[in-house]
């Protein structure tokens, strides 16, 4: 690879900056010999404090000129008194998703065999671990549909959110699910609410139609309420699941909880945009800014580190380098290193920095 990889680094608030330091260290070591250009910019509460805006113009410009965004986390109690539309989560994350058409949100829910005891599920349900990839549509549905407003009608207020999907939006996320499934166990479960919603009928019919183009992939369908149940009953039965925005928001939290360790889970939000051969994407931990433990050096950096690995895979096509980081993480877990969130007796309690250093050490 001779091209320079240009990456916007948005650490944000809470534990964001401290886990980002570890991720960048791992990234630099894993990418030795590859030309990477990291540009750090402000986002979230930190950006509000410095510039008055959660997503300053300069940050947007740097992102637009980069191949990918490595994102930390935003938000915290300090900014909670702000009006809802100015809060870091809404004023930074949602506009970034929309601005860069980040329509596909990939949230792996991986329960490492060594950490199965951390799952709230009975051990016989999770023994040996599980590996589910939740693919959530991210720029449509209730989140962005218009009208979206609260208005006065007579003596009371009415609130309206609009759920809207068009064929093409379902098709592009469905296609991505099939393509990704090809690199895994070739099994897709599509989740909808076709027994009640027009959106569900459209979703299912597009998925069925697409299935014809992917005869090597096994497709099945679940209603969303049933899916919520089946995840708990048999998480090991799932490979790739794909669903619309709001369902995906809820189900991905459920799946994260089932792994027992939100501090381990990365995510990728992929866009339609390409710069040359690179597909634009934003990569961030699935967990939040965790203000309660920020600054204490105890946060788990693995979600941020694995987010960097996803970036190498999905934007830069450096699958082998990504695999290298993943196996360094597995090796570190297998050798008993644990940050506080995943600690159990007979393992070695380490800090954020010690975990990062151990993973670096275990890199090929
Ligand atoms: C997530 C978050 C966001 C969402 C919030 C912070 C707007 O919950 O990324 O899952 O609902 O998408
Ligand atoms: Mn969420």
């Amino acid at each position: 690879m001779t091209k320079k990889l240009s990456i916007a680094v948005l650490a944000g608030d809470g534990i964001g900056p401290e886990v980002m330091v570890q991720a960048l260290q791992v990234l630099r070591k894993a990418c030795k010999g590859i030309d990477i250009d990291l540009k750090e910019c402000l986002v979230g509460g930190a950006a509000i404090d410095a510039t008055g805006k959660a997503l300053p113009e300069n940050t947007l410009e740097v992102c637009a000129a980069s191949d990918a965004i490595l994102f930390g986390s935003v938000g915290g109690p300090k900014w909670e008194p702000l009006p809802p539309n100015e809060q870091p989560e809404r004023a930074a994350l949602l506009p970034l998703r929309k601005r860069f058409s980040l329509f596909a949100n990939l949230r792996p829910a991986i329960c490492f065999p060594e950490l199965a005891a951390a799952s709230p599920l009975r051990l016989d349900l999770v023994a040996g671990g599980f590996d589910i990839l939740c693919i959530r549509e991210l720029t449509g549905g209730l989140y962005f549909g218009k009208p979206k407003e609260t208005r006065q009608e007579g003596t009371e207020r009415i609130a309206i959110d609009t759920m809207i999907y068009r064929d093409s939006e379902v098709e592009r996320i469905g296609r991505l699910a099939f393509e990704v499934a090809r690199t895994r166990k070739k099994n897709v479960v599509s989740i909808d609410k076709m027994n009640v919603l027009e959106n569900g009928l459209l979703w299912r019919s597009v998925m069925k139609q697409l299935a014809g183009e992917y005869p090597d992939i096994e497709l099945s369908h679940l209603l969303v309420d049933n899916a919520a149940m089946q995840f708990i009953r048999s998480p090991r039965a799932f490979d790739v699941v794909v669903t619309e925005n709001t369902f995906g928001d809820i189900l991905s939290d459920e799946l994260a909880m089932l792994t027992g360790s939100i501090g381990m889970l990365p995510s990728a939000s992929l866009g339609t945009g390409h710069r040359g051969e690179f597909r634009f994407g934003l990569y961030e931990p699935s967990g939040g800014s965790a203000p309660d433990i920020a600054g204490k050096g105890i946060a788990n950096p693995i979600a941020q580190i694995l987010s960097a690995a996803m970036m190498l895979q999905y934007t830069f096509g450096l699958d082998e380098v990504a695999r290298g980081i993943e196996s360094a993480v597995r090796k570190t877990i297998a050798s008993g290193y644990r940050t506080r969130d995943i600690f159990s007796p007979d393992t070695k309690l380490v800090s954020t920095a010690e975990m990062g250093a151990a993973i670096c050490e275990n890199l090929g």
Side-chain angles (χ1 to χ4, degrees):
M1 163 108 27
T2 49
K3 260 200 209 103
K4 184 187 264 183
L5 318 185
S6 89
I7 301 161
V9 177
L10 279 54
D13 309 316
I15 61 170
E18 55 198 284
V19 293
M20 187 65 85
V21 169
Q22 302 308 318
L24 295 182
Q25 190 180 307
V26 171
L27 186 64
R28 283 201 188 90
K29 176 149 187 217
C31 291
K32 214 149 133 206
I34 298 172
D35 196 6
I36 49 176
D37 177 23
L38 303 168
K39 289 210 171 66
E40 305 203 25
C41 351
L42 288 168
V43 75
I48 294 177
D49 291 350
T51 71
K53 284 172 78 178
L55 189 60
E57 210 46 52
N58 174 258
T59 298
L60 266 179
E61 280 165 21
V62 172
C63 290
S66 302
D67 303 313
I69 304 172
L70 188 58
F71 194 93
S73 51
V74 294
K78 183 172 176 197
W79 305 283
E80 268 160 27
L82 291 173
N85 283 332
E86 289 172 33
Q87 296 204 357
E89 293 90 336
R90 273 221 231 181
L93 219 41
L94 297 186
L96 274 172
R97 287 176 187 169
K98 206 60 186 176
R99 165 71 176 74
F100 295 105
S101 305
L102 303 172
F103 71 93
N105 185 212
L106 277 55
R107 297 187 170 181
I110 300 174
C111 178
F112 289 83
E114 294 88 353
L115 299 179
S119 169
L121 291 184
R122 250 185 10 237
L123 202 52
D124 61 301
L125 297 176
V126 293
F130 58 85
D131 180 352
I132 304 173
L133 178 62
C134 177
I135 302 184
R136 166 190 178 193
E137 201 291 328
L138 203 59
T139 48
L142 283 170
Y143 274 60
F144 297 97
K146 297 270 168 49
K148 186 179 194 62
E149 64 190 20
T150 305
R151 59 173 184 246
Q152 197 73 29
E153 217 176 75
T155 56
E156 60 180 353
R157 292 169 307 158
I158 61 168
I160 303 175
D161 294 283
T162 304
M163 185 168 190
I164 175 165
Y165 272 103
R166 45 187 77 238
D167 275 336
S168 55
E169 289 175 293
V170 182
E171 190 187 324
R172 66 183 180 183
I173 189 86
R175 231 174 242 297
L176 193 130
F178 282 114
E179 303 281 347
V180 173
R182 277 200 167 136
T183 69
R184 298 173 50 105
K185 292 188 203 138
K186 301 190 169 33
N187 185 297
V188 173
V189 175
S190 169
I191 297 167
D192 61 45
K193 188 70 182 169
M194 62 86 85
N195 54 348
V196 177
L197 303 177
E198 290 299 312
N199 273 272
L201 287 166
L202 182 83
W203 185 277
R204 195 169 290 208
S205 86
V206 173
M207 289 303 295
K208 279 189 172 159
Q209 211 174 334
L210 271 180
E213 291 180 43
Y214 299 89
D216 53 324
I217 308 292
E218 192 182 325
L219 172 70
S220 54
H221 308 268
L222 283 179
L223 294 172
V224 61
D225 47 350
N226 187 22
M229 238 168 40
Q230 299 306 329
F231 287 163
I232 289 176
R233 207 167 74 145
S234 46
R236 286 174 305 205
F238 292 88
D239 177 24
V240 174
V241 303
V242 60
T243 191
E244 67 87 40
N245 204 344
T246 306
F247 297 163
D249 178 44
I250 299 166
L251 293 176
S252 63
D253 266 29
E254 180 188 350
L255 289 172
M257 188 66 229
L258 296 184
T259 70
S261 47
I262 181 96
M264 305 274 298
L265 305 179
S267 79
S269 301
L270 304 178
T272 49
H274 280 259
R275 295 216 316 154
E277 71 201 83
F278 300 142
R279 171 180 213 154
F280 192 85
L282 179 150
Y283 301 85
E284 60 175 327
S286 279
S289 58
D292 51 319
I293 59 162
K296 296 186 178 162
I298 58 175
N300 190 339
I302 291 179
Q304 190 76 60
I305 290 168
L306 291 177
S307 297
M310 287 189 92
M311 174 178 77
L312 294 175
Q313 178 181 350
Y314 287 100
T315 287
F316 298 115
L318 296 167
D319 292 21
E320 253 174 57
V321 187
R323 289 294 92 74
I325 294 179
E326 285 164 13
S327 53
V329 167
R330 278 177 200 270
K331 209 165 150 191
T332 308
I333 292 295
S335 62
Y337 281 65
R338 301 283 189 276
T339 41
R340 213 186 50 167
D341 54 313
I342 50 174
F343 178 74
S344 60
D346 299 326
T347 59
K348 183 173 159 54
L349 183 63
V350 295
S351 67
T352 308
E354 288 167 328
M355 181 63 98
I359 294 168
C360 264
E361 199 60 39
N362 283 326
L363 272 173

